[in-house]
Amino acid sequence: LASKYHNDPDINLMVGLGYEENLGDSIQQYGVKAFPTYVLFSDSGKKEVGRISGVDFAKIEDLVNGCSAIKDKGFGSGEGQSLGGSGTTLSPAEARAKFLAKFGAASPSQPKNVDEEEDTKPASTPQDVEMKVEPSNDEAPPADDSKPMEIDDSTCVVVPDEPEMVDPTKDLSPELLQQLTEVMGFPLIRAQKALLNGGKNVDGAVEWLLQHQDEKDIDDPIKLVPKSAKPGAVASSYKCNECGKILSNMGNLELHANKTGHSDFEESTQQVKALSAEEKAAKVIVLKKLLQVKRAEREDEEKKQNVVLEQQRRSMGQQMGKSREQMAREKMSRDAKMRKKAKTDALRERERIRAELAKDKAERKANKGKLGSRIGVNGYAPDGIQYDVETKKDETDAKPAKPRVAPQKVDLGKNTPSTQKKIEEYIQKISTYRAGGDGGKCLKVLKAYVGNVADKDDEKYRTIKTDNNAYKTKIKPFLGAKQLLLLVGFSQGEHSDTLVLSPDADKCLLVETKAKLEAAFAAY
């Protein structure tokens, strides 16, 4: 079908294919809802004439044949037809004269010299439609080209020639567009706008997109620009007004600002030339040499700092040594003063005591060997120690001294009268503990200890652990309880926390002690 229309001289139709994976956001922009969809445009693709969804070649042919804009060759190149119908074709000079005559201007004797190529291009559709005008019978005759054109400014409006309009995206780098669309995923329209307004580099384009992505007209088609417009009108770099350096992108600008502290920058149309491989290699060599110089300077500075730090360390060490020596001397001086003070205080106290003793001697001598008592604020406070001094009395008043009785020897574990007497005394002492029934509890535990060894020959009952709770709370606190166990034959074991019954303990003594403990517990 495309070849058919291409070979038909009566129809000026250009056919193009767009695949789904390449359309991107254009699917939503043109409202495509099915594949395939055939869309017919006129006016250089600016106006949609109609569309067919699905494969239906008959409808497609009807759409193309029924479109007058296509049949009349409203766009594209070719001879073209007269807008008024069939007739003679006017030259550009005649068409211009006729156009001016409509506004009341006199027919010039000689038209103005105008480039024929510029006159053949209408203002509304540049490079697309060749306008040819057919004069009517009531219009002025063609003007003579040999005479200059005279125009009355008061009665006509002069329409200036519009410049040729071109697509500004033709000069964009395909590699940069591919990087923005395929690698980064931006729509084609946005990528083109970003490159045009972001310095024609990827960094500037991305920064521009981040700043303008929320604008409503971000996806509007890019307008044509006059051919005479300077391509450098778009800022492609940044200039530092303080030092005049040209910076290629915002990253280099921030690095320069941080390094130098400069803050006055402006956009520039000057292109920063990319370095060649040889220039890059030479610059790398220069940077390496600069790094070596910087490294050497840093090492020298570090050596100097290390020397200063070592000097400070040594000086500080010497000062600390002197401080320690001074502190040691001061401590020795304080210790000597304290010893001297202690010695002086001891001598002073000795003299005071000697004076007190002399005073006491004199007072005893005056009071027949006794010291007089004095009552102070804290009660009785004698001046010195009272010694037992025999006084001179009549022999009739003297009392005979009581003879000293030697302590009675007790055989532990032996059934002797003295042992029996001591056991009874200890049981009596334990029975005197009446508060809370503590004495009865002690008697009960003692009865269990003695009864076990008296009635049973089991080895486990011959050892009492003194660290258990029963012994610590019911035996140890009471006077006579432990002594009673020692009397019946228990003694300290190898460990300090045990009492062990002696192998030669008297069995009869154990039985009699058990009976006494039972009687005392019953009487308690």
Side-chain angles (χ1 to χ4, degrees), residues 242-453:
E242 298 185 20
C243 63
K245 188 173 182 179
I246 302 299
L247 306 166
S248 61
N249 52 50
M250 183 59 67
N252 292 336
L253 185 147
E254 294 178 355
L255 181 63
H256 179 75
N258 293 331
K259 184 177 180 181
T260 61
H262 296 168
S263 58
D264 187 7
F265 298 93
E266 67 177 2
E267 293 183 343
S268 173
T269 58
Q270 183 175 350
Q271 294 283 348
V272 178
K273 182 182 178 182
L275 298 178
S276 62
E278 293 79 6
E279 292 174 342
K280 288 182 179 179
K283 194 167 184 179
V284 168
I285 294 174
V286 173
L287 290 176
K288 287 184 177 180
K289 291 182 179 180
L290 181 61
L291 289 175
Q292 291 178 356
V293 173
K294 293 290 185 181
R295 187 180 296 110
E297 292 178 355
R298 186 174 65 254
E299 291 177 354
D300 294 340
E301 185 67 23
E302 289 178 355
K303 289 180 180 178
K304 293 179 182 179
Q305 291 181 358
N306 291 335
V307 171
V308 174
L309 292 175
E310 181 65 21
Q311 291 176 352
Q312 293 178 354
R313 187 188 65 80
R314 292 182 180 182
S315 176
M316 187 177 297
Q318 293 175 359
Q319 292 179 0
M320 291 178 63
K322 292 179 180 180
S323 299
R324 284 195 292 267
E325 293 177 359
Q326 181 67 22
M327 292 172 63
R329 287 194 295 268
E330 292 178 356
K331 184 177 182 302
M332 291 175 62
S333 177
R334 288 195 303 270
D335 293 343
K337 290 180 180 179
M338 291 178 65
R339 288 194 299 269
K340 184 176 181 181
K341 182 177 182 300
K343 187 175 181 180
T344 303
D345 293 343
L347 292 174
R348 187 181 296 111
E349 183 65 17
R350 185 180 300 174
E351 294 298 329
R352 188 189 68 79
I353 292 174
R354 286 178 179 176
E356 289 290 336
L357 291 175
K359 181 181 177 181
D360 291 347
K361 285 182 180 180
E363 188 174 352
R364 283 194 184 94
K365 188 176 182 181
N367 295 326
K368 298 179 180 181
K370 291 184 178 181
L371 291 176
S373 62
R374 296 182 178 86
I375 301 298
V377 293
N378 294 326
Y380 173 70
D383 291 338
I385 299 174
Q386 300 286 349
Y387 298 97
D388 293 334
V389 180
E390 295 182 359
T391 58
K392 294 181 179 180
K393 294 186 177 180
D394 297 339
E395 294 180 357
T396 56
D397 297 335
K399 296 182 179 179
K402 294 182 179 181
R404 187 173 181 181
V405 179
Q408 188 176 5
K409 186 177 180 181
V410 178
D411 295 329
L412 300 178
K414 302 297 183 180
N415 191 2
T416 60
S418 59
T419 304
Q420 293 285 351
K421 186 177 181 181
K422 283 290 184 182
I423 290 175
E424 293 175 358
E425 291 179 0
Y426 292 148
I427 292 176
Q428 185 65 29
K429 285 183 180 181
I430 295 171
S431 299
T432 58
Y433 291 96
R434 311 297 297 183
D438 293 337
K441 295 176 183 178
C442 180
L443 292 172
K444 184 178 181 180
V445 175
L446 287 174
K447 181 170 68 71
Y449 285 155
V450 177
N452 288 334
V453 294

